[in-house]
Amino acid sequence: MLGFETLTRKIFGSANDKKIKATRSLIAKINALEPQFQVLDDAGLIAKTEEFRNRHAGGESLDALLPEAFANCREAARRTLGLRAFDVQLMAGVFLHQGNIAEMKTGEGKTLMATFPAYLNAIPAKGVHIVTVNDYLAKRDAAIMGRVFAALGMTTSVVYPQQPDGEKKDAYAADITYATNNELGFDYLRDNMKGDLAQMNQRPHFYAIVDEVDSILIDEARTPLIISGPSQDRSDLYLAIDKVIPELTAEHYTVDEKARNVTLTDEGNEFLEDRLHQLEILPKDQSLYDPASTTIVHHVNQGLRAHILYARDKDYIVRDGEVVLIDEFTGRMMVGRRLSEGLHQAIEAKEGAKIQPENVTLAQVTFQNYFRLYKKLAGMTGTALTEAEEFGQIYGLGVVEVPTNRPVARVDEHDQVYRTAREKFEGVVAEIKTAHAKGQPILVGTTSIEKSELLSSLLQQAGIPHNVLNARQHEQEAHIIADAGRFGAVTIATNMAGRGTDIQLGGNVDMKVLEAVAADPNANPDALRAQIEAEHAEEKQKVKEAGGLFVLATERHESRRIDNQLRGRSGRQGDPGRSNFFLSLEDDLMRIFGSDRLDSVLSKLGMKEGEAIVHPWVNKSLERAQAKVEGRNFDVRKQLLKFDDVMNDQRKVIFSQRREIMEAQDLSETVGDMREQAIEDLVGDFMPYGSYADQWDLEGLQKAVAERLVLDLPLADWLAEENIDPEQVRDRIIEAAAKRETAQVEAFGVDTWRSVEKQMLLQVIDAKWREHLLRLEHLRSVVGFRGYAQRDPLNEYKNEGFQLFEELLESLRQEVTTKLGQIRPISREQQEALMNQMLEQQRQRAAAEAAAAGAPAAPSAPQVAVRPVGLPTAAPAAPEAAGPRPGFDENDPTTWGNPSRNDPCPCGSGKRFKNCHGAH
């Protein structure tokens, strides 16, 4: 009997069916317009774009323009690429324009489909970003699809790492910009560290289409993008502790594989304390539990995690003496990414690699918060439905499963479960032999480099030729995948499996043509293509007769989505295909997350040596285990996002303040308000408002005014007056500071002083934000322990994070006031004296370093301090003059200029000016 939900779906259709049905009339309109656009010449297509822009500027919505824009884009693609988009591609384009994720099977033409919503949303000329997972795909897609956009009169560009600033700014100014998620995020952070509005590259975030959206917005959501700078070098401590960690045994620690955590036991703590005392890493009178031991304990914990939780060739590889992380979801190398909080350094110590210094965070953002900056967001992938709830809750994105152009002919077989990993791999090799004997191409999926190389050695022993695709061969990824569909091909791949490159039966024609042209530049490309296509058609037929591409997976992943991605490599565009998963009870998922119910099912069914259990019950049990893991991971990401939202709200405030400062021409009012607030706070600290005179700290106030405000004021005389109160003192100090500022403006000139104020504000904001990020990091690392006191860690983090932010704003006001108060104009002679002094210090430092190294000192180039153009030559107020002025005469006060009251008196008496000639 049908369930109520199933029966309802049969009668009324699912929510997905309703969305598909709602677009049918739009697709019919686009198809009806096709003949009108086919008769236009090339200039007519471009003229249509201008017409659409004018109509939109006149108030017509993009929704109203959609049928004509899509018809125009379809005709441009047909003329430039020879590809006429299918109805299902237009349908997916509509969903992307509406701000959804389109789930399309592999080979259904997502790259071409994205041109339709990109073109429509580029009509307002606010910039459309198409996001890919790697630079190769960004450059490839920009080059190919750029021809379509050029035929429509639109500009296309690509953003890539180490791109010159001028070129990058032009790239972001294009109508459609292709880029990777990493580069977009880093450019956002870099832009918000710039000191001038003209140096910023990105425009406001308008519309983005994210390719492989599940990989970027789900798999990488927990990894923040961080711009950092080096901090203190502690490589000796990492190396010293790394010698101790291998001495620990299983009784010294406990491992929680589900949470990926390792904890020392009491025995482990005692053992380590004794060894660290012996090695003099820990002082004899100090225990591991002392507050002073915090740093050592942190290093021990990171060393323990590096040795127990992180495995070479699974979590990272060592390449050219450098530890390079491997993405657990794609198997790709993450060049440039480093684990934080000293964990990466601990792995480097473990592997004997050069230990890079730890870094201090200068700016950071997660992909979750970066992509929520866009006014409208859309995505496309082959697998998103299993994460539909997360996409909806966090990004407000709906997921629509788009029907395939041709029915899927792939056969998905039930999993085969063996008792041991050895039996499983024997079964895998036997299955590959059988399929290879009839010439069927095989893609074998593995979960790590180690397992891909183990299987490779087994196939070598069996005499089966094959290719291996993992992070070690990532440069050849496109070429290996291009050949994976050839007759008799066997390809072993980690989960990366060449996402973004089609596995075409018989081989990839375009790749073969490019290789042939590269081998013989004088050959006729058209003749080569015709020859290769004829050979391809013959080989494709042979592969179809052999059963199409066989995807054989050697393990299930924690996420059903990753498994579905692997299955989806087979059966593109209605091609025949087959998929099967070979598992064992020793696999990580089965061992860690497999339920007791699964064990009982297998014991009831019975298992013999070397025999596999194949049953739908097993599949269902595994899917339930995977669904539990997915739910747990979603909860972790959701919780992390709540914590990151605290920092994100503060980041938005700081970044918007920076932008307002850069846009402003005159910040005197802002600086004046900050100065007055700083003075009010200062007076309130030493003369609490509404208090009695015997509660005032006159000495403390005098010192603070001199240090923080750089003012020498007769406070003692003021306070000796009758009926003086804190408000009057505050007002007089404010008046004195304002007079000093007027004098500075006169000395430097209005324009120069305004530039000084702007640059000083930006410099102090950046420095304070860096300090704040570090404090938030430390708070976040310990706030979880508040849960033991029955207090919600998230609320504690919010409250204390807000207090820290208030402290940031207060110290910001004080620092800006102090630094601006210290600025004095200096003469050219004083500039030269300061430069000579700096060069001499550098020479002495270089000589000392050379002597310590036992080598002769090399002449060192001067360290140039970068100063924004237009800033005055200025220096903090100094206790003594850097050099006499031209025409100076100590006996003639008219040649002395305007010495500060606290400067030594120019007459040479040795007294301060205020106590000598300045007292008259």
Side-chain angles (χ1 to χ4, degrees):
M1 186 175 171
L2 288 173
F4 180 72
E5 191 178 334
T6 309
L7 186 64
T8 306
R9 273 204 306 270
K10 278 189 170 291
I11 296 170
F12 299 106
S14 66
N16 198 83
D17 294 336
K18 290 172 187 170
K19 289 176 185 173
I20 299 292
K21 193 174 178 182
T23 62
R24 300 277 185 204
S25 59
L26 265 178
I27 306 306
K29 279 184 189 175
I30 298 165
N31 288 334
L33 288 167
E34 191 169 16
Q36 294 177 30
F37 287 85
Q38 285 176 337
V39 298
L40 295 174
D41 59 10
D42 290 349
L45 298 183
I46 295 172
K48 276 289 179 186
T49 299
E50 284 307 308
E51 179 195 321
F52 297 153
R53 283 188 157 158
N54 292 332
R55 284 162 58 184
H56 180 65
E60 195 165 348
S61 71
L62 293 181
D63 290 343
L65 291 169
L66 187 150
E68 292 173 78
F70 274 39
N72 203 32
C73 189
R74 179 194 255 178
E75 181 57 25
R78 190 185 65 78
R79 291 185 194 183
T80 54
L81 305 178
L83 299 172
R84 179 187 176 276
F86 303 125
D87 286 359
V88 290
Q89 287 174 298
L90 298 177
M91 190 180 290
V94 172
F95 293 133
L96 260 61
H97 164 66
Q98 293 169 346
N100 293 300
I101 293 170
E103 178 175 295
M104 298 175 75
K105 301 288 184 245
T106 300
E108 289 292 302
K110 291 190 283 292
T111 309
L112 175 63
M113 178 274 290
T115 60
F116 293 94
Y119 171 58
L120 176 63
N121 285 273
I123 286 170
K126 294 181 179 178
V128 171
H129 294 169
I130 300 182
V131 189
T132 65
V133 289
N134 63 43
D135 296 316
Y136 163 73
L137 290 175
K139 289 175 181 175
R140 183 200 73 178
D141 293 353
I144 297 171
M145 297 303 148
R147 290 157 60 192
V148 178
F149 294 122
L152 293 162
M154 286 194 169
T155 54
T156 312
S157 64
V158 62
V159 169
Y160 56 87
Q162 280 83 54
Q163 190 173 13
D165 261 359
E167 188 183 320
K168 182 163 279 189
K169 192 175 182 74
D170 291 342
Y172 278 115
D175 291 312
I176 291 98
T177 304
Y178 284 83
T180 63
N181 48 313
N182 287 339
E183 201 59 19
L184 285 170
F186 280 129
D187 280 343
Y188 167 68
L189 293 177
R190 283 189 281 258
D191 270 1
N192 284 287
M193 295 171 73
K194 300 277 173 70
D196 187 351
L197 208 59
Q199 296 171 351
M200 296 179 76
N201 294 315
Q202 289 187 347
R203 293 190 276 173
H205 300 80
F206 177 61
Y207 178 59
I209 297 171
V210 184
D211 192 10
E212 307 297 359
V213 66
D214 53 324
S215 174
I216 292 171
L217 297 189
I218 302 289
D219 298 339
E220 298 196 47
R222 283 184 286 180
T223 309
L225 293 175
I226 297 173
I227 291 179
S228 55
S231 66
Q232 185 182 353
D233 183 9
R234 293 179 176 159
S235 48
D236 291 346
L237 186 55
Y238 284 109
L239 291 169
I241 285 173
D242 188 72
K243 291 173 184 171
V244 182
I245 301 296
E247 299 176 19
L248 296 171
T249 61
E251 66 179 12
H252 291 136
Y253 56 83
T254 57
V255 181
D256 182 349
E257 289 190 81
K258 286 186 183 181
R260 271 183 78 79
N261 198 15
V262 58
T263 313
L264 287 167
T265 60
D266 291 342
E267 292 86 350
N269 277 313
E270 288 174 19
F271 172 81
L272 264 175
E273 192 166 279
D274 290 343
R275 288 294 290 124
L276 293 173
H277 280 146
Q278 290 167 20
L279 295 168
E280 298 183 351
I281 296 171
L282 190 68
K284 292 287 183 189
D285 58 345
Q286 192 173 311
S287 83
L288 273 176
Y289 306 102
D290 289 345
S293 306
T294 305
T295 300
I296 294 172
V297 172
H298 172 74
H299 280 68
V300 166
N301 286 334
Q302 298 299 55
L304 192 60
R305 291 179 70 199
H307 277 267
I308 308 302
L309 298 177
Y310 286 81
R312 183 170 178 161
D313 291 343
K314 181 183 177 188
D315 300 296
Y316 63 89
I317 60 171
V318 180
R319 195 171 83 153
D320 301 330
E322 184 182 352
V323 173
V324 182
L325 298 177
I326 295 171
D327 189 317
E328 65 172 308
F329 299 102
T330 65
R332 287 191 172 94
M333 288 196 299
M334 296 194 288
V335 179
R337 291 274 189 94
R338 293 178 65 80
L339 295 164
S340 59
E341 297 176 357
L343 183 54
H344 209 99
Q345 285 77 7
I347 295 173
E348 287 168 335
K350 166 190 167 185
E351 294 295 343
K354 183 178 185 304
I355 298 176
Q356 306 292 333
E358 286 184 59
N359 288 325
V360 174
T361 300
L362 306 179
Q364 75 174 70
V365 69
T366 59
F367 286 127
Q368 286 171 321
N369 279 317
Y370 173 72
F371 281 105
R372 292 196 302 175
L373 291 171
Y374 284 91
K375 189 175 177 183
K376 186 163 73 172
L377 186 63
M380 50 190 184
T381 180
T383 45
L385 273 177
T386 54
E387 316 290 348
E389 184 187 356
E390 183 163 354
F391 282 123
Q393 281 192 29
I394 291 179
Y395 303 101
L397 289 167
V399 178
V400 187
E401 186 178 14
V402 180
T404 54
N405 188 46
R406 294 176 186 164
V408 177
R410 184 184 68 242
V411 177
D412 296 327
E413 297 174 358
H414 294 307
D415 298 357
Q416 300 202 29
V417 184
Y418 292 82
R419 189 175 293 280
T420 65
R422 178 185 58 79
E423 293 171 54
K424 174 183 76 173
F425 281 112
E426 286 171 358
V428 167
V429 173
E431 188 74 15
I432 291 172
K433 273 185 180 176
T434 304
H436 184 63
K438 60 181 181 178
Q440 185 174 25
I442 307 159
L443 176 68
V444 188
T446 60
T447 55
S448 68
I449 293 176
E450 184 185 18
K451 285 173 182 170
S452 68
E453 292 177 348
L454 166 66
L455 186 54
S456 176
S457 66
L458 293 175
L459 290 183
Q460 283 172 357
Q461 291 169 23
I464 298 172
H466 59 278
N467 282 317
V468 179
L469 174 59
N470 57 38
R472 294 193 204 280
Q473 293 85 22
H474 78 112
E475 291 91 348
Q476 294 86 40
E477 176 182 345
H479 292 278
I480 293 172
I481 284 296
D483 285 339
R486 299 196 68 172
F487 187 77
V490 178
T491 309
I492 302 172
T494 47
N495 289 322
M496 65 201 297
R499 287 186 75 167
T501 307
D502 263 357
I503 300 179
Q504 297 177 9
L505 300 189
N508 190 307
V509 174
D510 293 331
M511 195 70 77
K512 286 182 188 175
V513 171
L514 288 172
E515 287 173 356
V517 170
D520 183 7
N522 298 319
N524 183 332
D526 294 333
L528 276 174
R529 178 173 284 278
Q531 180 191 336
I532 290 169
E533 280 180 344
E535 292 168 1
H536 173 262
E538 188 180 329
E539 188 170 352
K540 183 175 182 178
Q541 190 54 40
K542 282 170 65 181
V543 171
K544 280 186 173 181
E545 289 168 3
L549 180 66
F550 176 24
V551 170
L552 192 161
T554 58
E555 206 165 318
R556 272 195 181 270
H557 198 272
E558 284 185 9
S559 168
R560 289 169 293 172
R561 191 167 38 80
I562 307 294
D563 294 341
N564 291 340
Q565 284 166 10
L566 192 55
R567 280 195 202 275
R569 308 303 299 165
S570 173
R572 66 179 292 282
Q573 285 290 338
D575 286 339
R578 173 184 168 212
S579 73
N580 202 347
F581 279 74
F582 280 61
L583 317 172
S584 83
L585 294 180
E586 293 176 354
D587 293 348
D588 289 346
L589 181 74
M590 304 281 276
R591 183 171 50 79
I592 301 169
F593 298 103
S595 60
D596 297 334
R597 179 183 169 81
L598 180 60
D599 291 336
S600 65
V601 166
L602 294 177
S603 60
K604 283 177 189 172
L605 294 170
M607 295 182 79
K608 296 178 184 175
E609 175 79 22
E611 188 179 274
I613 292 292
V614 182
H615 202 282
W617 289 356
V618 176
N619 287 39
K620 286 199 172 91
S621 290
L622 277 168
E623 283 180 12
R624 274 195 292 271
Q626 286 175 306
K628 279 183 191 172
V629 180
E630 287 165 8
R632 188 176 62 85
N633 288 341
F634 175 28
D635 289 340
V636 168
R637 286 191 291 268
K638 206 160 50 172
Q639 188 69 3
L640 284 171
L641 181 64
K642 287 176 183 173
F643 275 90
D644 193 56
D645 277 345
V646 176
M647 185 193 292
N648 191 51
D649 291 340
Q650 297 177 3
R651 176 171 46 239
K652 282 180 180 174
V653 171
I654 291 293
F655 284 2
S656 66
Q657 283 294 318
R658 284 187 96 261
R659 192 173 187 97
E660 284 178 22
I661 289 167
M662 286 191 287
E663 287 172 349
Q665 297 302 313
D666 183 352
L667 291 163
S668 57
E669 192 175 328
T670 302
V671 170
D673 289 344
M674 293 175 88
R675 184 174 61 243
E676 287 183 17
Q677 186 62 56
I679 291 170
E680 184 162 344
D681 293 342
L682 185 65
V683 173
D685 288 341
F686 296 95
M687 299 175 67
Y689 297 108
S691 61
Y692 296 105
D694 58 0
Q695 296 173 291
W696 299 345
D697 179 1
L698 174 59
E699 190 178 332
L701 181 60
Q702 183 79 57
K703 187 178 177 184
V705 166
E707 288 178 358
R708 297 192 213 170
L709 302 178
V710 201
L711 287 171
D712 182 27
L713 300 174
L715 292 180
D717 296 344
W718 293 356
L719 295 171
E721 294 175 16
E722 196 174 342
N723 297 326
I724 192 79
D725 60 25
E727 284 82 1
Q728 290 172 304
V729 172
R730 176 199 64 200
D731 293 342
R732 290 184 188 183
I733 296 174
I734 288 173
E735 184 182 351
K739 279 183 183 175
R740 194 260 313 279
E741 195 220 9
T742 302
Q744 287 173 316
V745 173
E746 287 174 0
F748 286 100
V750 175
D751 292 343
T752 302
W753 186 251
R754 295 294 167 250
S755 179
V756 171
E757 288 176 330
K758 180 179 287 194
Q759 295 304 324
M760 187 62 73
L761 265 171
L762 290 173
Q763 286 173 23
V764 175
I765 283 175
D766 290 345
K768 291 295 176 187
W769 179 242
R770 285 197 293 273
E771 290 173 19
H772 182 67
L773 285 176
L774 188 62
R775 293 171 80 183
L776 282 179
E777 258 179 52
H778 291 163
L779 172 62
R780 190 160 170 178
S781 66
V782 299
V783 78
F785 295 117
R786 308 278 176 91
Y788 294 118
Q790 305 300 311
R791 286 146 73 186
D792 180 7
L794 178 60
N795 283 337
E796 294 285 304
Y797 183 71
K798 280 180 181 175
N799 293 336
E800 293 199 24
F802 182 71
Q803 288 172 17
L804 289 174
F805 193 66
E806 282 191 320
E807 287 174 24
L808 177 152
L809 296 176
E810 186 178 331
S811 65
L812 176 68
R813 291 192 293 265
Q814 188 60 64
E815 186 104 358
V816 168
T817 301
T818 301
K819 286 189 177 296
L820 284 174
Q822 289 174 333
I823 295 176
R824 299 277 188 278
I826 60 175
S827 67
R828 184 162 296 282
E829 289 76 14
Q830 289 172 316
Q831 291 177 46
E832 288 172 3
L834 285 171
M835 181 59 77
N836 291 333
Q837 184 183 357
M838 184 178 75
L839 291 173
E840 177 60 23
Q841 287 172 349
Q842 288 172 357
R843 192 193 63 72
Q844 290 174 359
R845 189 163 56 247
E849 288 171 357
S860 65
Q863 297 291 312
V864 180
V866 178
R867 184 166 58 85
V869 176
L871 242 68
T873 304
E880 58 185 47
R885 293 161 52 88
F888 173 83
D889 181 353
E890 66 180 20
N891 298 315
D892 181 3
T894 62
T895 67
W896 295 354
N898 294 307
S900 171
R901 286 171 57 79
N902 285 313
D903 284 350
C905 189
C907 73
S909 66
K911 298 179 183 178
R912 289 186 185 274
F913 179 66
K914 66 182 180 183
N915 297 323
C916 190
H917 280 76
H920 304 318

